[in-house]
Amino acid sequence: MLLTRSLLLALSASLAYAAGLKNGLTSAGIDAVFPGDSKYVTASTPFNLRFDFKPAAVTFPKTPQEVSEILKLSQELNMKAAARGGGHSYIANGLGGGDGVIILDMQNFDKITVDSSKGTAVIESGNRLGNIALTLSQAGRALPHGVCAYVGIGGHASYGGFGFTSRMWGLTLDTISTVNLVLANGTIARASAQENSDLFWGMRGSGGSFGITTSIEVKTFPSPASATIFEYEWTLDIPSTARGIDVFEKFAQTNLPPQIGGEINLGRGPSKGTVAFHVTGGWYGAEDGFNATIAPFLEGMPKGPKVTLTQGTYLNSVEYLAGEPLDTRTGPDGHDTFYAKSLMTPESAPMSLEARTAFASYLANEGFESDMEWFVQVELYGGKNSAINAVAPDENAFAHRTSTFTIQFYASSPGKQPPFPDHGFTFLDDLVSSITSNSPADWDYGAYANYIDDRLPDWQKRYYGTHYPRLQGLKDKYDPKDTFDFPTVVEE
Ligand SMILES: Cc1cc2nc3c(=O)[nH]c(=O)nc-3n(C[C@H](O)[C@H](O)[C@H](O)COP(=O)(O)OP(=O)(O)OC[C@H]3O[C@@H](n4cnc5c(N)ncnc54)[C@H](O)[C@@H]3O)c2cc1C
Ligand SMILES: *[C@@H]1O[C@H](CO)[C@@H](O)[C@H](O)[C@H]1NC(C)=O
Ligand SMILES: *[C@@H]1O[C@H](CO)[C@@H](O)[C@H](O)[C@H]1NC(C)=O
């Protein structure tokens, strides 16, 4: 093998870095695993097995001071760093979204402190949603968040946080009053309306670009007295699927109470030309008020769906939706091999009949024939009385306060194992363009940064809209050396 001088220099430099990194972390007494260690493979395996990144080290800091030490060392060595919360990033951004990054796995930041008199809580950033729901519920409190117990609050609260209580309580990030964090240069800081208010704005919508959150202080809500999870299941043809989406959207525009949230789950039908059309959601109002609330939707839909209503306590509903134990310490996290995209639809310009029909046709035909394991979720963000859309558009960096739906498109490889096939990308890209290419050229749709997508060319516009320039200013101020760097990082 011929080694050029520059290659030799680069090699010895990276060896020196590796030695410097290991020495630096070891002498600071920080737990870490390195390439070649027996725990390295497990520590560097992402949730989405479509990716296989090789971090320079996976560290496990225990205190904000240790986070600070690691970041200072990263800057000294001119290396990149990234935080990992629950590790559920769709594109493994919790592993830095590339090779050679110093990872700060936040799992030791697992405390949750509830202040019952103020109705607030301090949640350290290594917690997962299931454990948060369990702990808050012991104090009779709750927070809006997604359904999967293993999702980490670290990423979830940095980029959004949607669940069926979000029409009533907002997104997870809307509940944050203070972010305790460490800046790229190792400075331990607080961001709130009073302190570093510009950073407070940016951490709520684009957190990973500016700092490493060690804990968030949040407003919590009293657990609802009861909850009903509803499931209505139809098998529909193409025109009825197209119509059903419209019926759901129009239902949301009636005087819908905030205590109802839900989504349409679309899946492969039993035969070509059909779609499994399921509507699932939660009702958090008085138990006997549900049937009257859902009635206008059912009136617009074909008769005779399969109905499942599951009533119980609020915590029962969280457990039921998760479909797994809420205490995530009882078992390991799962994996998948997948590609996902999202589309946030503007309330002012509902999906056209043409777009809905092309979409339904794609699901019923190409979707039926594809060997991919896929689903589409049409999540209700807006409609009348939605707390998500009641937040002022510039209150925080989350850029979408006028959307009706966030549509998530998700395809796993057959058997959910790697490799992810090339035709899986084409399948999902064409599914999304069945909607966009049949919509007006200036259709002002967005995308959801928690359904992060490595193949979205205009992601700056779709995730952040008019907020992007302001985020760029924050990047320049708080991370001028680009220590936090990943495929969808805000760039100066
Ligand atoms: C099975 C599954 C179900 C999901 N369900 C929902 C749902 O119902 N609703 C919903 O809204 N979303 C949902 N999501 C998406 C989820 O919200 C995002 O994937 C989220 O970003 C994951 O956070 P994490 O901490 O687990 O991920 P990680 O991979 O650890 O982190 C994601 C990103 O956030 C950054 N980050 C993590 N921790 C910190 C920190 N402490 N400080 C600064 N930056 C940090 C990481 O660097 C990375 O860029 C789901 C995802 C999966 C895989
Ligand atoms: C609500 O409707 C379901 C059928 O969809 C029925 O089984 C249930 O008894 C009704 N509940 C009330 C409180 O009327
Ligand atoms: C660290 O960065 C912050 C934000 O840019 C800055 O205010 C502070 O002076 C920096 N601290 C050091 C020690 O450089």
Side-chain angles (χ1 to χ4, degrees):
M1 184 159 88
L2 189 75
L3 286 178
T4 63
R5 188 180 141 74
S6 64
L7 187 55
L8 270 175
L9 279 175
L11 264 178
S12 59
S14 82
L15 285 175
Y17 282 147
L21 179 62
K22 198 163 186 168
N23 287 343
L25 290 170
T26 310
S27 63
I30 292 163
D31 287 348
V33 302
F34 301 91
D37 289 356
S38 61
K39 290 183 180 152
Y40 179 79
V41 172
T42 306
S44 62
T45 301
F47 177 78
N48 186 356
L49 301 175
R50 179 156 71 85
F51 300 92
D52 177 22
F53 296 133
K54 300 279 173 266
V58 180
T59 68
F60 300 90
K62 295 189 190 67
T63 61
Q65 288 70 26
E66 288 194 353
V67 173
S68 169
E69 291 297 326
I70 298 165
L71 290 177
K72 283 180 191 159
L73 191 60
S74 308
Q75 291 212 327
E76 261 167 44
L77 297 170
N78 199 18
M79 293 176 77
K80 308 295 179 191
R84 178 167 61 189
H88 271 226
S89 166
Y90 283 5
I91 61 171
N93 276 348
L95 286 170
D99 289 331
V101 180
I102 302 175
I103 304 308
L104 293 93
D105 184 305
M106 301 302 284
Q107 62 179 256
N108 294 317
F109 289 74
D110 61 354
K111 280 200 240 359
I112 301 170
T113 316
V114 186
D115 185 330
S116 296
S117 64
K118 285 198 275 181
T120 58
V122 182
I123 301 174
E124 289 189 343
S125 63
N127 281 288
R128 297 184 190 240
L129 303 184
N131 296 87
I132 294 170
L134 270 178
T135 304
L136 293 182
S137 118
Q138 283 158 10
R141 309 298 295 184
L143 201 67
H145 56 70
V147 299
C148 177
Y150 283 84
V151 165
I153 193 75
H156 202 61
S158 290
Y159 292 99
F162 168 85
F164 295 151
T165 57
S166 289
R167 273 182 37 88
M168 175 165 69
W169 294 336
L171 300 168
T172 310
L173 56 69
D174 294 325
T175 68
I176 302 176
S177 59
T178 299
V179 180
N180 295 300
L181 77 167
V182 184
L183 303 181
N185 65 10
T187 301
I188 297 174
R190 270 168 79 80
S192 69
Q194 288 78 36
E195 295 166 80
N196 300 308
S197 59
D198 56 348
L199 184 60
F200 180 52
W201 182 86
M203 289 304 290
R204 293 172 300 156
S206 196
S209 290
F210 310 117
I212 295 193
T213 300
T214 51
S215 69
I216 52 174
E217 302 180 18
V218 297
K219 166 176 81 177
T220 65
F221 300 85
S223 293
S226 67
T228 302
I229 301 303
F230 54 91
E231 297 164 277
Y232 296 94
E233 303 178 22
W234 290 267
T235 297
L236 298 181
D237 62 13
I238 293 166
S240 311
T241 299
R243 199 178 313 119
I245 297 168
D246 188 50
V247 170
F248 193 59
E249 179 151 10
K250 295 221 164 82
F251 168 62
Q253 295 302 341
T254 61
N255 196 22
L256 199 62
Q259 292 89 350
I260 187 168
E263 66 195 16
I264 308 171
N265 290 306
L266 300 167
R268 182 185 276 104
S271 58
K272 193 171 175 187
T274 67
V275 176
F277 188 106
H278 299 178
V279 171
T280 301
W283 164 251
Y284 305 97
E287 223 169 282
D288 57 5
F290 174 66
N291 282 355
T293 305
I294 199 76
F297 170 66
L298 296 176
E299 276 157 25
M301 293 295 294
K303 298 286 161 256
K306 179 175 173 229
V307 186
T308 312
L309 301 181
T310 309
Q311 287 175 327
T313 64
Y314 172 75
L315 192 65
N316 291 154
S317 76
V318 177
E319 230 155 27
Y320 181 80
L321 288 171
E324 58 196 352
L326 293 182
D327 185 356
T328 58
R329 283 160 230 189
T330 58
D333 199 359
H335 292 284
D336 197 353
T337 305
F338 68 103
Y339 171 44
K341 301 184 82 65
S342 66
L343 219 165
M344 300 183 77
T345 71
E347 264 183 339
S348 58
M351 285 164 75
S352 65
L353 175 62
E354 200 186 350
R356 282 181 278 115
T357 304
F359 173 51
S361 167
Y362 193 94
L363 296 175
N365 294 311
E366 285 85 348
F368 179 77
E369 277 171 352
S370 172
D371 66 346
M372 303 301 293
E373 298 187 24
W374 58 268
F375 64 79
V376 176
Q377 292 180 327
V378 182
E379 303 165 338
L380 183 59
Y381 271 51
K384 285 282 152 59
N385 306 309
S386 166
I388 300 174
N389 289 355
V391 175
D394 298 330
E395 168 65 28
N396 53 45
F398 188 84
H400 306 291
R401 301 298 181 174
T402 53
S403 303
T404 304
F405 297 132
T406 295
I407 309 178
Q408 171 169 217
F409 310 85
Y410 190 111
S412 304
S413 64
K416 301 188 179 250
Q417 294 302 316
F420 188 87
D422 282 345
H423 69 263
F425 292 113
T426 318
F427 171 72
L428 208 73
D429 290 341
D430 290 354
L431 173 55
V432 177
S433 64
S434 71
I435 297 176
T436 52
S437 68
N438 287 290
S439 297
D442 62 351
W443 198 46
D444 187 22
Y445 63 92
Y448 177 34
N450 258 335
Y451 298 156
I452 194 90
D453 175 357
D454 55 329
R455 288 165 53 96
L456 186 62
D458 51 353
W459 59 265
Q460 295 88 341
K461 172 179 172 192
R462 299 303 175 194
Y463 291 143
Y464 300 114
T466 58
H467 288 169
Y468 195 68
R470 195 167 158 186
L471 292 168
Q472 290 181 289
L474 288 177
K475 185 70 176 174
D476 186 39
K477 178 171 173 187
Y478 289 102
D479 185 20
K481 293 185 178 161
D482 295 329
T483 298
F484 305 121
D485 190 13
F486 46 90
T488 50
V489 74
V490 170
E491 282 168 335
E492 283 160 50

